[in-house]
């Protein structure tokens, strides 16, 4: 029998890069979650307090995290919202997804209200942040092992890039495209729910600590909370668009996404509010206005470009899109080359980066650590653009070359 041809392990620096990231990313998370112990200063060496670790507290955090994940999974499975078909898979099938993230977001807030009425204190989230970070790493590692082992069952649809035959690499990228437990589509569920809503809940615990410590809330803190809330709300209001993201259509579900969804998002995304919880940063009104203008500009570019692309692809004949200029391709789909999509090939990334920069600037200029976000996010999106471009090159062939000539800049107009 001819041996099945495996895909090359050629992304993220291959097996060595995947192994490196598997080890280094949790260390980054622990460093960030520990940052208040060294005053958020990158010049200070973190104190070695790990021997003080409270195993009982970590276990409690693990149980709370597991309960949260189960709670969000139940909300996902409830017959709320719409059921929408996903992308056409290579086996000719389409999966059906529950689009009810907004309901889950609202119900979670009702739960928070109950906590408040019942005097259940959410400061636990703040006080045991580091322990929660450890629990989230353990959870994502456990889940990834489960996903990897389970992906060897017969007849599963594997992700194109996650089946190289190299254990470390496939563990990182994810072998199975759409692992499920019953009706629960694990990759889709984890992409938005527990981590994203968890992040906003961590933000509330930061607000509480900040208010209890200083007796007032700084405009910077309020602005940051608002920025984060809108970002999360946007993800749920436009939840359908996740279905066309490469995470869902192409990538397998392995350590990369599991760790990203469960550990990275809640810890890295809440780093600004955690920093502001300890540091009552006072920015001038002019500075706040500049940051707000940057954010609103970025959010406009992010939202309009994503909505135009998704809306046009769904309903190209709508009068709304009458003025859009496109390039027709042999593949049948059209590539937009006017408006924001004529400015660069990924205006949605540009907008997202402007939003992220606004988050960082809201933390002022006294510390460098809050700027970690824009650094890593720029690397992530530049790398993502390269991955997407190489996939589009394969999909569109010569049409992609034509498109690249018409729209020469990748993310930053006139720069890159
Ligand atoms: P895109 O939404 O840009 O999707 C890329 C795909 O769109 C391409 O593969 C191609 O697929 C199609 N496409 C490319 N160019 C055009 C064009 N000119 N006209 C029409 N279709 C085109 O990328 P992502 O899914 O990566 O990102 C979506 C959003 O999510 C972005 O705003 C990004 O910033 C954000 N994001 C946020 C992250 C976070 O951690 N906060 C992480 C990752 C993404 P095809 O033609 O086959 O349809």
């Amino acid at each position: 029998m001819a041996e099945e041809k495996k895909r090359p392990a050629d992304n993220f620096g291959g097996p060595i890069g995947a192994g490196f990231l598997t080890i280094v990313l949790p260390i980054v998370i622990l460093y960030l979650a520990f940052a208040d112990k060294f005053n958020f200063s990158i010049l200070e060496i973190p104190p070695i307090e790990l021997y003080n670790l409270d195993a009982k507290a970590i276990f409690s955090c693990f149980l709370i995290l597991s309960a949260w994940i189960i709670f969000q999974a139940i909300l996902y499975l409830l017959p709320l919202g719409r059921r929408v078909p996903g992308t056409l898979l290579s086996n000719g099938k389409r999966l059906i997804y529950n689009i009810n993230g907004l309901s889950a977001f609202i119900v979670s807030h009702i739960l928070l209200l109950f906590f408040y009425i019942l005097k259940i204190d959410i400061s636990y989230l703040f006080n045991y942040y580091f322990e929660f970070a450890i629990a989230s790493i353990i959870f994502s590692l456990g889940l990834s092992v489960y996903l990897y082992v389970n992906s060897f069952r017969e007849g599963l649809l594997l992700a194109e890039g996650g089946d190289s035959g190299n254990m470390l690499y496939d563990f990182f990228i994810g072998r199975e495209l759409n692992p499920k437990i019953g009706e629960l589509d694990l990759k889709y569920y984890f992409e938005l729910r527990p981590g994203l809503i968890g992040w906003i809940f961590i933000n509330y615990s930061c607000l509480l600590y900040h208010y209890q410590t200083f007796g007032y809330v700084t405009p910077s803190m309020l602005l940051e909370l608002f920025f984060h809330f809108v970002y999360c709300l946007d993800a749920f209001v436009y939840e359908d668009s996740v279905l066309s993201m490469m995470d869902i259509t192409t990538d397998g579900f392995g350590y990369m996404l599991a760790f990203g969804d469960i550990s990275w998002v809640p810890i890295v995304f809440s780093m600004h509010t955690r920093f502001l919880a300890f540091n009552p940063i006072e920015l001038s009104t002019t500075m706040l206005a500049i940051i707000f203008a940057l954010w609103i500009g970025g959010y406009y570019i992010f939202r309009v470009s994503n909505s135009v692309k998704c809306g046009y692809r769904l309903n190209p004949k709508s009068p709304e899109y009458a003025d859009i200029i496109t390039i027709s391709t042999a593949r049948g789909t059209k590539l937009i080359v006017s408006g924001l999509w004529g400015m660069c090939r990924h205006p949605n990334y540009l907008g997202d980066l402007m939003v992220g920069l606004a988050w960082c600037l809201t933390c002022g200029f006294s510390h460098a650590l809050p700027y970690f976000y824009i650094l890593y996010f720029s690397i992530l999106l530049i790398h993502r653009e390269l991955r997407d471009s190489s996939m589009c090159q394969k999909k569109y062939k010569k049409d992609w070359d034509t498109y690249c000539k018409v729209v020469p800049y990748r993310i930053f107009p006139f720069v890159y």
Side-chain angles (χ1 to χ4, degrees), residues 253-282:
F253 193 36
Y255 180 76
M256 176 178 75
L257 288 179
F259 174 79
D261 296 340
I262 298 164
S263 265
W264 191 267
V265 166
I267 300 296
V268 175
F269 284 41
S270 65
M271 153 185 154
H272 304 104
T273 44
R274 186 143 173 106
F275 171 78
L276 290 169
F278 288 100
N279 299 282
I281 298 289
E282 298 288 354

Side-chain angles (χ1 to χ4, degrees), residues 373-387:
Y373 179 84
I374 194 65
L375 179 73
Y376 112 80
F377 200 40
S378 303
I379 296 170
L380 182 142
L381 289 184
I382 288 170
H383 180 250
R384 194 173 171 95
E385 196 281 332
L386 292 171
R387 282 176 76 205

